[in-house]
Structure formats: C-alpha cells, structure tokens
C-alpha cells in the first residue's frame, strides 16, 4: 500500500475513535443529569419511535436523541402548556418490572412518550407540581 492510502486509513480510524468517544461522553453526561430518564418519542402512536433521554427543567421538558452528537436538545416542551391526556400499557401482559407506558401528551400538538412506569409517575408529578394547573393529567 502506498503512504497516502495508509494515511487515509489512519485518519479515518482516528476520526471514528474521536466520534465514538464524543458520543460516549455525551451519553454519559445525559444519563447522569438530575431529573433525566430514558424514553422514546413519536408523533404517532404507531411510531416511528426515537430513543432518547428526557430531562425536567424548571419550566421545560427537554428531549435529546440517543443516537446524535447534537449538544442541544432535539425537542423542548414548555411545562405550562404540557398535559398528559391518556396513558396505556404497551404490553398489558408483561410482568410488572418490564411494563412500559405509552403516554399521549399534548403541548402545541399531540406527541407520544414510551417510558417506564416509574418515569411516567415522575412526569405526571412534575406536570402536576406546576402552579395553577387544573385537569392537566387524566
């Protein structure tokens, strides 16, 4: 092989390693944030679902896509206009530890979150804790 080909291969390998390390650092940072939880987001109840990490802010719910290097959240929902209008179990026959909830949420438009029962409880508690909220969770 010529020196140019070897240099290109080494450069590509170095770029892949750096990209992988950046992604791992981002995932580690998102997972360790206070108020963060794993969930999947979709604009339709049938998907496609996007894996990610959501985090409660004081006035905003943030959603970062799992397979991205973006430093900013992919979606933001304001707490004031956010409500859960319906919930259902994804698989009603699963054991209690494996059960996931599909939450139909409404902000400016409807969207869906697939999350653990514990994360759903935290989400509804966070929404209900908003001052002056009536009928925000069904």
């Amino acid at each position: 092989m010529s020196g140019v080909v070897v240099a290109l291969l080494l450069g590509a390998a170095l770029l892949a390693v750096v990209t992988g390390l950046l992604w791992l650092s981002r995932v580690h940072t998102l997972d360790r944030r206070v108020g963060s939880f794993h969930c999947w987001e979709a604009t339709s109840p049938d998907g496609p679902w996007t894996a990610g990490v959501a985090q409660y802010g004081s006035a905003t719910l943030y959603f970062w896509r799992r397979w991205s290097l973006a430093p900013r959240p992919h979606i933001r929902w304001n707490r004031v206009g956010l409500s859960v209008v319906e919930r259902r179990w994804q698989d009603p026959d699963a054991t209690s530890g494996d059960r996931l909830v599909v939450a139909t949420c409404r902000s400016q438009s409807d969207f869906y979150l697939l999350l653990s029962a514990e994360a759903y409880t935290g989400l509804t508690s966070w929404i209900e804790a908003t001052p002056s909220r009536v009928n925000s969770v069904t």
Side-chain angles (χ1 to χ4, degrees):
M1 281 199 271
S2 71
V4 173
V5 173
V6 171
L8 286 175
L9 288 175
L10 286 175
L14 181 62
L15 180 63
V17 168
V18 169
T19 302
L21 290 174
L22 285 172
W23 182 80
L24 285 172
S25 174
R26 178 183 178 274
V27 167
H28 180 75
T29 300
L30 289 175
D31 287 345
R32 299 249 182 238
R33 288 188 172 179
V34 174
S36 68
F37 59 96
H38 293 270
C39 65
W40 293 262
E41 182 273 335
T43 55
S44 161
D46 300 320
W49 294 95
T50 302
V53 175
Q55 180 192 9
Y56 307 116
S58 61
T60 308
L61 180 65
Y62 302 99
F63 179 80
W64 283 269
R65 290 182 294 184
R66 186 78 167 170
W67 300 105
S68 172
L69 290 175
R72 299 189 188 274
H74 176 64
I75 305 172
R76 294 180 179 105
W77 297 286
N78 289 327
R79 185 178 189 176
V80 173
L82 183 61
S83 61
V84 175
V85 295
E86 181 185 7
R87 75 159 168 93
R88 65 179 170 81
W89 295 107
Q90 181 195 31
D91 182 4
D93 298 327
T95 62
S96 61
D98 298 335
R99 295 179 85 182
L100 295 175
V101 176
V102 177
T104 304
C105 302
R106 184 167 292 147
S107 186
Q108 293 180 358
S109 61
D110 286 359
F111 64 96
Y112 302 86
L113 292 177
L114 177 63
L115 59 167
S116 70
E118 295 82 10
Y120 174 78
T121 301
L123 174 66
T124 56
S125 297
W126 178 76
I127 291 172
E128 289 176 345
T130 304
S132 303
R133 295 294 302 238
V134 178
N135 298 326
S136 61
V137 177
T138 58

